[in-house]
Amino acid sequence: MQTSPAITTKCVDCAIRHRAVCSRCGGDELARLEEIKYYRRYNSGETITIAGETMDFVGSIISGVATLTQTMEDGRTQMVGLLLPSDFVGRPGRSSAVYDVVAVSDVVMCCFRRIPFENLLGATPAVAGRLLEMTLDELDSAREWMLVLGRKTAREKIASLLVIIARRAGSPCTESSPGNIWFNLPLTRDAMSDYLGLTLETVSRQMSALRRDGVIRLEGNRHVVIPDMRRLMEEAGDDADGGLPG
Amino acid sequence: MQTSPAITTKCVDCAIRHRAVCSRCGGDELARLEEIKYYRRYNSGETITIAGETMDFVGSIISGVATLTQTMEDGRTQMVGLLLPSDFVGRPGRSSAVYDVVAVSDVVMCCFRRIPFENLLGATPAVAGRLLEMTLDELDSAREWMLVLGRKTAREKIASLLVIIARRAGSPCTESSPGNIWFNLPLTRDAMSDYLGLTLETVSRQMSALRRDGVIRLEGNRHVVIPDMRRLMEEAGDDADGGLPG
DNA sequence: CGGGTCGTTGACTGACTTCAACATAAGTGG
DNA sequence: CCACTTATGTTGAAGTCAGTCAACGACCCG
């Protein structure tokens, strides 16, 4: 981890300005956040927090991807959160981390020392309210994921993960047919298996099966193209509409 | 569901006063809550909310147990929350329910109409702050449950559920050896299977196995005695200490 | 070239599910 | 009081989906 005095972006110009914990702040409140914020960079693979250790800061992911995982004594691990830009890391009111947080790509974070941030929470309803809203959203995601873990087949699990990533990180294809969506998978097969409660072999097999069946196209191991979002959502067992236009 | 003008408990005397969303309120703030609150009763088996339908109130469970479940189109269901006294139901800022909430015993709730409660949230930091804290706790529980669903064996799942219920609803045995803990299971085998992502047959088999191995004692189908909490926690794969003294 | 990481595929195994029969208890109405 | 129904729980036998173990391929970097 490196503190980087080099980065001095103003909050107003920040890429996550409209989605992060600061999104409801007006000029005054933003100024107060600007005073106590600082940036940190992590290289891919670097640990951000370790379960059980002191955590004296909280913050937002500005760019990159990190994972939140829980590990049992015998080594079994379960990912319990996937942190993308604008997501919040850390828990106000608690001094030690409960989960391992690891950067799975190069990550830049906007950090606040925990105690000053907690004080600011009490004084700034715009921040407290937005944090409540984000936490409620996280809770909904966690509950949706409980359905995936508890009741879906391996194939449905893979499809569900691809839907979630496509929703948050996918881009419409520019050249090919306009309905297409693509993204670069931010996770290794092993990380995917940790997310889905599967083994990496099963992940690999089901990725191959979805490719064989034309549900996805793989260009290299990480580049995923989704020719028909609706089809993928059916494979995920989410027949509810509301996906990206396809 | 019956509205009951009969119940007119003052907030000060409420059984969940010190744990619910109102727990940080002082006299003034409590008075404001008292103005807009009303009680509702549900009989065991009654539906409190249906996913997708309008939900114009939020509130706290005062007594009884309710479940929060998600259902797929083909009927597979996953419980995503177990609501015990002091737990909060509903989401401020959203007008329709996302989950089915069902009373699994007779339930009494302390309700607030949603809009007035949302207004009060903005004006009462004691309530907003406590709701944030409770939501963060719920998120931690949900993440712990993701580990159970994704990585634990059937036997560990059952043990984990029993640990959670014992923690929140267990009583130390008065007559028998003081280390003992007992409780009445609030869930049928079928509801347990929905919680754990198993079939009810597997739940039944593993309950029998834990009984045969002396980890639990069953007196009737619902009354569970835990002779050694530490042993049960080992069976759950939670070797971390911090349980009740045993 | 060798060593490391990451990914794929095959053969076999096993934990949990599925299907089915049966047990127990409570409620209803004759 | 008893036959009948319904809800709940237990147990057995057979089937299957995903895990385990193992070999191999692609790629990168020193």
Side-chain angles (χ1 to χ4, degrees):
Chain A
M1 191 270 301
Q2 315 128 348
T3 40
S4 311
I7 322 176
T8 51
T9 313
K10 292 235 171 91
C11 287
V12 179
D13 303 324
C14 182
I16 59 170
R17 167 79 180 95
H18 53 301
R19 282 186 300 151
V21 73
C22 51
S23 68
R24 291 192 198 161
C25 290
D28 278 10
E29 297 151 320
L30 214 54
R32 247 172 294 159
L33 277 173
E34 194 128 32
E35 268 170 36
I36 65 170
K37 84 176 185 198
Y38 59 98
Y39 294 100
R40 279 185 173 177
R41 292 172 166 283
Y42 299 87
N43 294 321
S44 180
E46 232 177 327
T47 295
I48 299 177
T49 72
I50 297 181
E53 299 206 343
T54 308
M55 170 129 190
D56 56 359
F57 69 97
V58 297
S60 304
I61 306 272
I62 293 181
S63 66
V65 178
T67 63
L68 206 64
T69 60
Q70 235 175 334
T71 303
M72 292 172 68
E73 293 186 338
D74 60 9
R76 281 177 282 177
T77 71
Q78 174 66 51
M79 197 185 301
V80 296
L82 184 60
L83 302 168
L84 301 181
S86 82
D87 282 336
F88 190 79
V89 180
R91 172 169 172 162
R94 182 154 56 195
S95 57
S96 64
V98 176
Y99 308 104
D100 298 318
V101 179
V102 177
V104 294
S105 71
D106 292 350
V107 164
V108 179
M109 279 188 63
C110 171
C111 299
F112 311 99
R113 278 182 304 123
R114 210 187 82 247
I115 305 291
F117 183 81
E118 287 170 10
N119 295 336
L120 188 140
L121 260 191
T124 317
V127 176
R130 175 63 184 144
L131 185 57
L132 174 59
E133 185 177 51
M134 290 174 71
T135 306
L136 287 165
D137 286 342
E138 278 288 304
L139 186 56
D140 279 347
S141 306
R143 286 173 166 163
E144 185 183 337
W145 207 252
M146 288 171 71
L147 176 64
V148 173
L149 289 172
R151 292 302 185 189
K152 291 194 179 178
T153 64
R155 185 181 174 105
E156 289 169 333
K157 285 180 175 182
I158 298 287
S160 298
L161 177 57
L162 295 176
V163 167
I164 287 181
I165 295 175
R167 279 243 177 83
R168 285 215 47 187
S171 321
C173 282
T174 42
E175 314 257 330
S176 26
S177 63
N180 285 10
I181 292 169
W182 71 270
F183 53 86
N184 283 312
L185 250 189
L187 302 175
T188 63
R189 297 289 184 264
D190 188 50
M192 290 173 72
S193 73
D194 279 347
Y195 204 153
L196 297 166
L198 297 171
T199 58
L200 68 89
E201 293 94 329
T202 299
V203 171
S204 184
R205 271 187 257 272
Q206 297 298 335
M207 288 288 286
S208 299
L210 289 175
R211 176 174 43 70
R212 264 198 306 279
D213 298 345
V215 181
I216 58 175
R217 280 207 309 277
L218 295 173
E219 296 166 4
N221 281 326
R222 296 301 188 87
H223 187 92
V224 178
V225 180
I226 300 174
D228 181 354
M229 191 63 187
R230 208 170 302 268
R231 171 82 192 283
L232 182 66
M233 287 174 61
E234 273 167 29
E235 291 285 354
D238 302 340
D239 273 338
D241 284 84
L244 298 162
Chain B
M1 186 275 300
Q2 315 125 345
T3 41
S4 311
I7 323 178
T8 51
T9 313
K10 292 231 170 95
C11 286
V12 179
D13 303 322
C14 182
I16 59 170
R17 166 81 180 93
H18 53 303
R19 282 187 299 153
V21 73
C22 52
S23 68
R24 291 191 197 162
C25 289
D28 277 11
E29 295 152 321
L30 214 54
R32 245 172 295 160
L33 278 172
E34 194 126 32
E35 267 170 37
I36 65 170
K37 86 177 184 199
Y38 60 100
Y39 295 101
R40 278 187 175 177
R41 294 171 164 282
Y42 299 88
N43 293 320
S44 179
E46 234 177 323
T47 296
I48 299 176
T49 72
I50 297 180
E53 299 207 343
T54 309
M55 170 132 189
D56 55 1
F57 70 97
V58 298
S60 304
I61 306 272
I62 293 181
S63 65
V65 178
T67 62
L68 206 64
T69 60
Q70 234 174 336
T71 303
M72 292 172 67
E73 292 187 341
D74 60 9
R76 282 176 282 177
T77 71
Q78 175 66 50
M79 198 185 300
V80 297
L82 184 60
L83 301 169
L84 302 181
S86 83
D87 281 337
F88 191 79
V89 179
R91 172 168 173 163
R94 182 155 56 195
S95 58
S96 64
V98 177
Y99 308 105
D100 297 318
V101 179
V102 177
V104 295
S105 71
D106 291 350
V107 164
V108 179
M109 281 189 63
C110 172
C111 300
F112 311 99
R113 277 182 304 125
R114 211 188 79 245
I115 304 292
F117 183 81
E118 286 169 9
N119 296 336
L120 190 141
L121 260 190
T124 318
V127 177
R130 175 64 183 143
L131 185 58
L132 174 59
E133 185 178 51
M134 290 174 71
T135 306
L136 286 164
D137 285 343
E138 278 289 301
L139 185 55
D140 279 347
S141 305
R143 285 172 168 164
E144 186 184 334
W145 208 252
M146 288 171 72
L147 176 65
V148 172
L149 289 172
R151 292 303 184 189
K152 291 192 179 178
T153 63
R155 184 182 175 101
E156 290 170 332
K157 284 180 175 181
I158 298 287
S160 298
L161 177 57
L162 295 176
V163 167
I164 287 181
I165 294 175
R167 280 243 176 83
R168 284 215 51 187
S171 320
C173 282
T174 43
E175 315 254 330
S176 26
S177 64
N180 285 9
I181 292 168
W182 71 270
F183 53 86
N184 284 310
L185 252 188
L187 302 176
T188 63
R189 298 288 184 266
D190 188 50
M192 291 173 71
S193 73
D194 280 347
Y195 204 151
L196 297 165
L198 298 170
T199 58
L200 68 89
E201 293 95 330
T202 300
V203 171
S204 183
R205 273 187 255 272
Q206 297 298 334
M207 288 289 285
S208 299
L210 289 175
R211 176 172 45 70
R212 265 198 306 281
D213 298 344
V215 181
I216 59 176
R217 281 207 308 278
L218 294 173
E219 297 167 3
N221 281 327
R222 296 301 187 87
H223 187 91
V224 179
V225 179
I226 300 173
D228 182 353
M229 191 64 188
R230 209 169 301 270
R231 171 80 192 285
L232 182 66
M233 287 174 61
E234 274 167 28
E235 292 285 356
D238 301 341
D239 273 336
D241 283 85
L244 298 163

